[in-house]
């Protein structure tokens, strides 16, 4: 495995593992990451991936990637492919081949027969509604199904017919015979097998009965020799059932389940079902839309694998659920980009500048460092020409603005163009409607890399791009996808909190020439504007497209 992080977090699960190893209960740690291929992975899954792969790596063990593909109705090959790509992109490599729960279906079937033969499972004909009324409530014991005492022979014959497709969907199920009055609802004769007359993406038409999550998961772990089966807290109540199967079946190993609190982020939904709705309803352009909290979306937004891993490793692995501020994720992304992203210039809202004392067809190649503190990132040349663009927001005609209030270009005053000359704004050209089209300026000779003469003081430093050699680009700016801090934790439908202004497209931005050659997915700091990434799919040298990853500082901080 290849995660380069050396800072291994310690928490209650690592403590358990250390004890298991030191007391000899476990020889080699085996973990697994077990997604159901019914959607793309999201930032919550990233936490689980970093935990499972991270622990295996930390303790010299291995981690499997296993698709928990027991429900063909919602699963798809597209998700299987995307999940593998995302795990690898995060920097992890699973042990051996990818595993599939579906490759153990024959074994599960035989174990179901084992339970029937030992009097611990039965075929039940109650309808779904009847079964639920028989189940009782948390405070009220359930009632035994009238089919609970069928003979072993009858159950074997009926289960065989289920498997052979002789019953309709919903006609009957196979249930474990445990305890209808258990205070734990999961032990009230849970379902082991359902009839689903539906082909499966891996097993085709081989099966028309499919095991439940509960009947599959622990046995999958046992088959793979998983030592520490780590899942989220909502499965804590399922643990007695997990253990019941392990105790009552001739499984090859005895895995143990441990639960930790899932990652919830404010202003974010982390449920594949809800994310799928955003995709299906066209609220976003797809699972990899840069506004999505999916791994594919964060990737396209310009988040780096190490930034995401550092965030995940900063999270508590605790026995309670909590909500993490999305600013914490952004902190790690920004920190990583600040360290690694080369600097460049891009004008988002161009205003034309004409330098009156620079020759029309002349060009001066200026040298700029790509990173202020990393000389190894090299230098680049930036062409300086008579006509330039600066940002509209960097110019004002209001001469009453103090130097402190407005550290940019004001008519009659001086500003430094980043890495180039100090210039003075002399005259504003306007349309008949009063819109500024151009500002005529004069440059101060000898000010590249040098202070201006006595008596001249630049108000500040602004970025610019040559209008002659710069390239036009499209830049996409993003805001939060949801306006509500907890979009899916109240009574209201989360869809009503979708931010209608989460995407802004700027089609007339100007980038310095070297940026047109940016590779897809390459990240930059656009000076004074923030961090941007060349879009993974849409960017090319003739039509450059950049996505804003994040601002230079946390603009929403209280
Ligand atoms: P979702 O609710 O988004 O569909 P899930 O739990 O159904 O998520 P799975 O594909 O079953 O998705 O999850 C694979 C693994 O990732 C499981 O071990 C699960 O516990 C873990 N996981 C899922 N969501 C989170 C989260 N928000 N935080 C931490 N771990 C998570
Ligand atoms: Mg699930």
């Amino acid at each position: 495995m290849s995660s380069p992080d050396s800072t291994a977090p310690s928490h209650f699960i690592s403590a358990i593992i250390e004890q298991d190893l030191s007391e000899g209960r476990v020889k080699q740690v085996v973990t697994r990451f077990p997604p159901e291929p019914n959607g793309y992975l999201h930032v919550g899954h990233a936490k689980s991936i970093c935990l499972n792969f991270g622990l295996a790596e930390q303790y010299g063990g291995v981690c499997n990637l296993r698709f928990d593909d027991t429900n063909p109705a919602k699963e798809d090959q597209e998700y299987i492919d995307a999940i593998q790509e995302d795990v690898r992109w995060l920097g992890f490599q699973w042990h051996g081949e990818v595993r599939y729960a579906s490759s153990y279906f024959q074994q599960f079937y035989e174990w179901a027969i084992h339970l029937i033969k030992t009097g611990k499972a039965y075929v039940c004909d109650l309808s779904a509604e009847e079964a639920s009324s028989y189940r009782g409530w948390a405070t009220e014991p359930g009632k035994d199904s009238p089919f609970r005492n069928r003979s072993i022979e009858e159950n074997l014959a009926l289960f065989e017919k289920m498997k052979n497709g002789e019953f309709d969907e919903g006609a009957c199920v196979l249930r474990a015979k445990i305890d209808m009055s258990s205070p734990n609802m999961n032990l009230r004769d849970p379902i082991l097998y359902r009839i689903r007359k539906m082909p499966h993406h891996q097993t085709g038409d081989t099966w028309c009965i499919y095991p439940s999550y509960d009947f599959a998961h622990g046995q999958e772990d046992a088959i793979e020799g998983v030592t520490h089966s780590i899942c989220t807290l909502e499965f804590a109540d399922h643990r007695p059932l997990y253990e019941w199967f392990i105790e009552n079946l001739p499984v090859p190993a005895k895995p143990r389940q441990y639960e930790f609190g899932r990652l919830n982020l404010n202003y974010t939904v982390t449920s594949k079902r809800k994310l799928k709705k955003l995709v299906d309803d066209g609220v976003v352009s797809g699972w990899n839309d840069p506004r999505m909290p999916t791994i594919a979306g964060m990737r396209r937004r310009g988040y780096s694998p190490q930034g995401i891993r550092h965030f995940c490793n900063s999270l508590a692995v605790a026995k309670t659920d909590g909500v993490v501020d999305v600013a914490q994720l952004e902190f790690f992304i920004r920190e990583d980009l600040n360290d690694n992203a080369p600097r460049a210039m891009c004008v988002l809202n161009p205003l034309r500048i004409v330098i009156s004392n620079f020759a029309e067809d002349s060009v001066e190649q200026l040298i700029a460092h790509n990173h202020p503190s990393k000389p190894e990132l090299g230098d680049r040349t930036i062409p300086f020409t008579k006509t330039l663009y600066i940002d509209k927001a960097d110019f004002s005609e209001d001469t009453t603005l103090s130097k402190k209030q407005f550290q940019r270009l004001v008519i009659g005053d001086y500003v430094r163009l980043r890495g180039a000359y100090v210039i003075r704004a002399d005259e504003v050209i306007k349309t008949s409607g009063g819109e500024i089209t151009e500002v005529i300026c004069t440059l101060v000779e000898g000010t590249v890399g040098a202070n201006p003469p006595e008596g001249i003081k630049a108000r500040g430093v602004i970025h610019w791009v040559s209008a002659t050699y710069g390239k036009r680009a499209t830049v996409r700016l993003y805001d939060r996808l949801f306006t509500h801090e907890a979009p899916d934790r109240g009574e209201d439908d989360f869809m009503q909190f979708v931010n209608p202004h989460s995407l802004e497209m700027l089609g007339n931005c100007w980038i310095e020439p070297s940026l047109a050659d940016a590779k897809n997915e390459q990240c930059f700091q656009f000076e004074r504007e923030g961090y941007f990434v060349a879009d993974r799919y849409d960017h090319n040298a003739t039509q450059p497209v950049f996505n804003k990853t994040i601002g230079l500082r946390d603009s929403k901080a209280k």
Side-chain angles (χ1 to χ4, degrees), residues 389-538:
Y389 290 119
I390 64 166
D391 202 282
K392 281 188 177 135
D394 285 337
F395 174 72
S396 174
E397 289 182 279
D398 183 356
T399 53
T400 66
L401 286 170
S402 73
K403 290 194 197 288
K404 206 162 176 207
Q405 276 172 315
F406 196 74
Q407 298 174 0
R408 313 174 193 193
L409 186 61
V410 173
I411 195 79
D413 208 351
Y414 296 89
V415 82
R416 178 178 286 284
L417 297 177
R418 167 80 83 199
Y421 292 94
V422 170
I423 60 167
R424 186 187 64 216
D426 301 321
E427 187 191 349
V428 178
I429 312 289
K430 295 185 180 175
T431 60
S432 52
E435 202 200 330
I436 303 177
T437 52
E438 191 170 298
V439 181
I440 313 287
C441 298
T442 324
L443 64 75
V444 183
E445 293 289 354
T447 50
V448 175
N451 286 330
E454 272 297 308
I456 295 180
K457 193 166 181 321
R459 282 179 168 245
V461 183
I462 63 172
H463 59 284
W464 57 279
V465 169
S466 160
T468 319
Y469 295 97
K471 299 264 161 56
R472 190 196 297 266
T474 297
V475 174
R476 302 165 177 152
L477 306 178
Y478 302 103
D479 196 358
R480 286 173 176 148
L481 192 47
F482 292 97
T483 53
H484 196 287
E485 193 170 3
D488 60 350
R489 282 186 283 280
E491 311 243 294
D492 300 309
D493 178 14
F494 75 101
M495 292 294 281
Q496 80 182 65
F497 300 118
V498 167
N499 176 5
H501 308 294
S502 59
L503 169 63
E504 187 185 349
M505 297 270 267
L506 301 177
N508 187 30
C509 304
W510 287 81
I511 53 176
E512 58 174 274
S514 66
L515 280 175
D517 302 325
K519 290 195 214 44
N520 298 70
E521 300 199 73
Q522 202 179 347
C523 296
F524 297 89
Q525 183 193 98
F526 288 171
E527 305 255 12
R528 300 178 64 238
E529 294 291 358
Y531 296 97
F532 293 77
V533 62
D535 189 79
R536 184 176 173 196
Y537 304 103
D538 301 335

Side-chain angles (χ1 to χ4, degrees), residues 33-36 42 44-45 48 230 232 260 262-263 270-272:
F33 173 64
E36 186 181 355
H42 52 63
H45 294 113
S48 176
I230 302 165
T232 35
F260 71 99
R262 58 190 293 127
L263 168 63
T270 45
S271 145
K272 283 180 280 185

Side-chain angles (χ1 to χ4, degrees), residues 36 38 213 235 272:
E36 186 181 355
N38 60 353
Y213 170 88
F235 293 102
K272 283 180 280 185

Side-chain angles (χ1 to χ4, degrees), residues 32-49 51-52 66 68 83 213 217 230-235 260-265 269-275 315 321:
R32 87 288 171 263
F33 173 64
E36 186 181 355
N38 60 353
Y40 279 56
L41 299 181
H42 52 63
V43 61
H45 294 113
K47 178 179 180 184
S48 176
I49 291 169
L51 184 59
N52 280 293
R66 180 211 308 150
D68 226 335
I83 288 170
Y213 170 88
H217 203 90
I230 302 165
C231 61
T232 35
L233 278 181
E234 67 270 25
F235 293 102
F260 71 99
R262 58 190 293 127
L263 168 63
N264 300 303
L265 279 180
V269 301
T270 45
S271 145
K272 283 180 280 185
R273 184 178 59 77
K274 291 172 191 161
L275 295 173
L315 297 168
D321 278 330

